[in-house]
Amino acid sequence: MSRSILVLNGPNLNLLGTREPEIYGRATLEDIKAATEAAGRAQGLAVDFRQSNDEGGMVSAIQGARGSAAGIVINAAAYTHTSVAILDALLACGLPVVEVHLSNIYKREEFRHHSYVSRAATGVICGFGAKGYVLAVEAMADILARGGKA
Ligand code: DQA
């Protein structure tokens, strides 16, 4: 397995399974991790799957991916809508980025319609629940097969 991708999860995603299941589904973050790793294996990609409730921890993980990962799949959760620091870290690391959300953020409250992360992302997958992570890994594999940045 030659390449590794960082799959980074933001605040409150550690609570998946019990957190507003009518919005986020019943899959736990462990379930999603297993499905994401399997999707990575199928694409020949190792998955470094992480979660942080802390904005600075996410910035550090993104900085750390520079040099060790070929791309980043990110569900920045609530920081999607607020964090210029996470956007700047994504832009600085120069890696391809796929943004993922469990819920369809455009169908929800207006404050969720804006994403800072999107400015750094090749594309966004949202509204497909846990399956979105599998789709995001497949999208990342396509981007990498095309040579990196889309
Ligand atoms: C989320 C959507 C965000 O608006 C929310 O703050 C989350 C999860 C999603 O995966 O649907 O925590 O990123």
Side-chain angles (χ1 to χ4, degrees):
M1 204 169 291
S2 56
R3 285 205 275 197
S4 163
I5 60 170
L6 173 65
V7 178
L8 185 58
N9 294 280
N12 300 307
L13 294 175
N14 54 314
L15 302 178
L16 288 176
T18 56
R19 173 193 182 200
E20 299 182 275
E22 65 288 356
I23 296 175
Y24 298 115
R26 298 247 169 233
T28 65
L29 196 61
E30 274 304 308
D31 296 334
I32 293 174
K33 179 177 188 235
T36 305
E37 287 172 346
R41 271 194 302 279
Q43 300 293 336
L45 295 170
V47 170
D48 179 9
F49 192 94
R50 300 197 203 179
Q51 189 272 335
S52 175
N53 287 324
D54 170 39
E55 187 176 17
M58 292 184 70
V59 168
S60 296
I62 294 163
Q63 289 184 8
R66 196 156 65 157
S68 69
I72 299 176
V73 171
I74 182 167
N75 182 351
Y79 289 137
T80 303
H81 318 298
T82 64
S83 181
V84 176
I86 288 173
L87 168 62
D88 283 350
L90 291 169
L91 292 173
C93 81
L95 295 172
V97 174
V98 175
E99 177 178 359
V100 62
H101 300 282
L102 295 150
S103 63
N104 180 353
I105 55 175
Y106 301 103
K107 210 170 152 184
R108 300 181 63 195
E109 305 94 320
E110 211 161 308
F111 65 84
R112 295 186 205 274
H113 297 180
H114 176 261
S115 165
Y116 283 101
V117 170
S118 289
R119 291 189 71 96
T122 301
V124 185
I125 294 164
C126 74
F128 298 103
K131 176 81 193 284
Y133 283 73
V134 172
L135 298 173
V137 169
E138 290 173 0
M140 180 59 75
D142 285 351
I143 294 166
L144 296 176
R146 291 199 301 267
K149 277 281 182 207

